[in-house]
Amino acid sequence: MKIYVFLGPPGVGKGTQAKRVADEMKFNHLSTGDLLRAAIKDGTDLGKTAKGFIEKGELVPDNVICGVVVEKLRSMGKDSVLVLDGFPRTIPQADALGNASFTPTGVINFTCPDSMLIERIAGRRTCKKCSTNFHIKFQLPKKEGVCDACGGELYQRKDDTEAVVKERLQVYQKQTAPLIEYYTKKNLIVNIDGTGKPEAIFANLKKSLQ
Ligand code: AMP
């Protein structure tokens, strides 16, 4: 199994790129954020545990998320190629992945300055049905409030408000950014500039996923 980990701060565009890679390159896509939001919507035990953490901009505890992800990976075919979007987000999560023999093929580290991230996230609108992202300034849907891809209703995630975004950026710096060094030591990091247009980022990214 080939695994490409997509790493980067909130709002860097890794989810958008992951969806595009899944569509165009026929890779599997696992977003732990989407998985947790679906669990909240379905009212499962996982969702009930995760809700409070997500709404505050904190990470769900490692012991809650690791088992779920490893179980998912074990259920996937050995020949599959997977984009892992939003996991690992801490060193213990990366260790759990490696200990379960799922060492990434590559780790794509998306970069972007904080000021741009806050503007991107605070204006982000997400489809309730297929979780495609839009933006009130940079990527307007054809019809206001309606997803171009599936016709679903667009909404602002509770954790996309400016106050929560700032907390998420701090959490990223403290808990997730150390993974850059962790995977650099393993020679797995590829840096991708996340500041440009999605189209240009995708063109760059494709070259790193061959
Ligand atoms: P995302 O959609 O990737 O921005 O994730 C939204 C929220 O889900 C995060 O702010 C966390 O609260 C939670 N979350 C997603 N992935 C993880 C993870 N790997 N570990 C812990 N919490 C996570």
Side-chain angles (χ1 to χ4, degrees), residues 6 26 29 33 37 57 59 62 75 95 99-100 111-112 115 122 139 146 148 150 166 171 183 196 199-200 209:
F6 278 21
K26 306 290 170 231
H29 173 207
R37 283 184 288 277
L59 294 185
D62 293 332
S75 73
D95 285 339
N99 291 340
T111 59
C112 187
S115 55
Q139 206 179 350
V146 180
D148 291 353
C150 77
K166 288 189 173 148
V171 166
Y183 283 125
E199 197 61 42
L209 299 177

Side-chain angles (χ1 to χ4, degrees), residues 186-208:
K186 296 182 190 290
N187 263 327
L188 290 173
I189 288 276
V190 176
N191 289 307
I192 295 278
D193 178 0
T195 59
K197 293 235 160 71
E199 197 61 42
I201 299 171
F202 183 65
N204 230 343
L205 174 62
K206 260 197 331 201
K207 295 182 218 148
S208 308

Side-chain angles (χ1 to χ4, degrees), residues 70-84:
V70 168
E71 196 185 313
K72 280 250 173 218
L73 298 187
R74 289 205 173 118
S75 73
M76 289 180 180
K78 287 214 159 41
D79 294 332
S80 49
V81 186
L82 172 71
V83 174
L84 200 44

Side-chain angles (χ1 to χ4, degrees), residues 9-12 14 16 34 37 53-58 89 117-127 131-136 154-169:
V12 78
K14 57 187 188 305
T16 301
D34 285 352
R37 283 184 288 277
F53 294 103
I54 293 185
E55 288 179 358
K56 276 187 279 180
E58 292 170 10
R89 250 181 163 100
L117 296 172
I118 293 170
E119 192 183 20
R120 280 185 184 182
I121 306 188
R124 179 157 76 180
R125 298 294 179 270
T126 304
C127 175
S131 56
T132 296
N133 288 321
F134 295 85
H135 192 280
I136 53 169
L154 303 185
Y155 79 115
Q156 182 177 38
R157 280 169 42 180
K158 273 195 183 156
D159 59 342
D160 276 355
T161 54
E162 196 165 330
V164 183
V165 170
K166 288 189 173 148
E167 170 66 19
R168 286 165 68 199
L169 287 172

